């Protein structure tokens, strides 16, 4: 299989921002498309970041050999376990290059991702188009054709350009990123059993104490319990400050994870909230949501007219 490389395909339009999806079925197809993209970028002297699952990381490192010495390599299964962390990683890499064009390979969905993780990764893919619009960057996203059909269908909506095995072309189903994010706000499944409590400003300390006691009883390690308390505490405080002054906290175990759900009457006006490292001097820059993304293994966000729901997942161990 031979495809036009994304860099070559983009040169005809020469738009600053280029965000293609590459569909692949074999290692050879992966190396042809992804390896070719990187080879072209490195030949042009572009800084390159590769964030893909470990086996594909090794495949590309072997393919590039010494040419990959200056590439920044990241195992996406670790750095991107929570899809809400990925965008800030990509932005920070691009910000370090002093305005030069950069090339990024990001593979946020792989075979084995849970449906909940894949949905939040789809939201991430849509948000790339808002966060990088107009910037000098190419972000190639490979998709294994063994992924579920609904995941592959969403890739056509979140990428302006698609390719593999055919040459790169405009996606016929590309959609407005905000529309895709709204479509990701599907109803969350109800837990079988959950501890629930109402809270407001006066009951904020009590709610934190309850979250601590619940985490101890659930068996979180001391390190994980510290992450839990900070993430849940930020969510509770956000509800009091921005969610109508009150909310509901629910907690339960889901297999090997502890889950906290915080619901309130708040709104999420900007879907990029919490997706960039906040300015420490800014009065309100999404600091709380960003902290939740950094600490949790998965953050599910549901924004609707009736209010905002956050589900925070942390592994017990």
């Amino acid at each position: 299989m031979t495809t036009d490389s994304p860099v070559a395909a983009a040169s005809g339009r020469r738009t600053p921002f280029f965000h293609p999806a590459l569909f692949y079925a074999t290692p050879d197809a992966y190396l042809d498309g992804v390896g070719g993209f990187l080879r072209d970028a490195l030949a042009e002297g572009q800084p390159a970041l590769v964030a893909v699952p470990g086996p594909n990381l090794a495949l590309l490192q072997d393919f590039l050999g010494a040419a990959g010495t200056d590439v920044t390599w990241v195992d996406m299964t670790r750095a991107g376990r929570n899809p809400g962390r990925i965008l800030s990683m990509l932005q920070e890499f691009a910000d370090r290059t002093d305005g030069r064009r950069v090339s990024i390979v990001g593979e946020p969905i792989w075979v084995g991702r849970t449906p909940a993780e894949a949905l939040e990764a789809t939201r991430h893919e849509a948000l790339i188009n808002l966060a990088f619009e107009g910037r000098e960057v190419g972000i190639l996203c490979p998709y294994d054709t063994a992924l579920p059909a609904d995941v592959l269908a969403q890739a056509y909506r979140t990428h302006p350009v698609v390719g593999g095995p055919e040459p790169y072309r405009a996606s016929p189903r590309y959609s407005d990123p905000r529309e895709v994010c709204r479509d990701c706000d599907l109803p969350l499944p109800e837990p079988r059993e959950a501890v629930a409590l109402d809270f407001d400003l006066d009951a904020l300390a009590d709610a934190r104490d309850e979250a601590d006691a619940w985490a101890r009883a659930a068996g979180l390690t001391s390190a994980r319990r510290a992450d839990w308390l900070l993430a849940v505490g930020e969510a509770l405080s956000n509800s009091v400050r921005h969610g109508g002054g009150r909310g509901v906290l629910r907690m339960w175990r889901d297999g090997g994870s502890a889950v906290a759900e915080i619901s309130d009457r708040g709104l999420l006006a900007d879907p990029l909230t919490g997706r960039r490292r906040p300015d420490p001097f800014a009065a309100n820059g999404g600091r709380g949501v960003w902290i939740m993304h950094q600490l949790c293994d998965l953050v599910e966000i549901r924004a609707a007219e009736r209010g905002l729901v956050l589900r925070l997942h942390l592994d017990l161990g």
Side-chain angles (χ1 to χ4, degrees), residues 38-297:
L38 289 170
R39 192 170 46 208
D40 288 350
L42 294 173
E44 294 182 9
Q46 297 177 18
L49 166 67
V50 177
V52 301
N56 288 341
L57 199 72
L59 195 67
L60 291 169
Q61 288 172 328
D62 289 343
F63 176 80
L64 290 177
T69 302
D70 295 329
V71 174
T72 298
W73 302 97
V74 175
D75 186 343
M76 186 65 96
T77 62
R78 300 182 63 183
R81 165 72 187 282
N82 172 11
R85 285 199 293 260
I86 302 172
L87 192 54
S88 63
M89 175 178 66
L90 307 189
Q91 290 172 318
E92 288 173 21
F93 176 80
D95 290 345
R96 292 195 298 267
T97 59
D98 300 323
R100 288 185 294 161
R101 184 173 184 83
V102 301
S103 288
I104 296 171
V105 178
E107 190 168 0
I109 308 179
W110 54 88
V111 174
R113 273 285 209 192
T114 68
E117 291 169 350
L119 184 65
E120 293 303 323
T122 293
R123 189 192 303 272
H124 154 76
E125 289 278 50
L127 292 175
I128 284 178
N129 300 302
L130 295 179
F132 285 96
E133 183 178 12
R135 294 192 64 172
E136 288 284 347
V137 59
I139 304 176
L140 172 65
C141 302
Y143 279 79
D144 189 334
T145 55
L147 287 164
D150 61 322
V151 171
L152 297 175
Q154 289 295 338
Y156 281 88
R157 300 187 67 210
T158 56
H159 295 80
V161 176
V162 295
E166 297 85 6
Y168 282 87
R169 61 205 182 277
S171 172
R173 300 197 292 276
Y174 177 69
S175 302
D176 181 270
R178 295 179 185 273
E179 178 184 342
V180 175
C181 287
R182 287 193 294 270
D183 291 344
C184 287
D185 288 333
L186 299 172
L188 290 164
E190 279 294 309
R192 293 181 180 178
E193 295 182 5
V195 173
L197 61 147
D198 298 329
F199 65 90
D200 57 17
L201 179 59
D202 293 333
L204 198 55
D206 291 339
R208 288 174 175 149
D209 289 343
E210 287 287 340
D212 187 16
W214 185 90
R216 289 177 183 272
L220 270 76
T221 64
S222 58
R224 289 267 72 187
R225 195 166 68 249
D227 292 342
W228 166 272
L229 290 175
L230 182 51
V232 172
E234 288 291 338
L236 296 173
S237 296
N238 274 1
S239 290
V240 170
R241 290 196 301 266
H242 310 297
R246 63 181 63 247
V248 177
L249 169 65
R250 298 199 297 171
M251 298 173 288
W252 66 93
R253 285 186 56 162
D254 182 10
S257 296
V259 184
E261 179 188 275
I262 300 89
S263 55
D264 57 42
R265 298 294 296 173
L267 299 174
L268 191 67
D270 183 359
L272 286 168
T273 297
R275 303 283 174 157
R276 173 182 280 280
R277 185 185 297 272
D279 180 349
F281 301 104
N284 179 24
R287 175 181 177 275
V289 180
W290 186 83
I291 288 175
M292 294 174 221
H293 279 305
Q294 304 313 304
L295 296 173
C296 297
D297 297 302

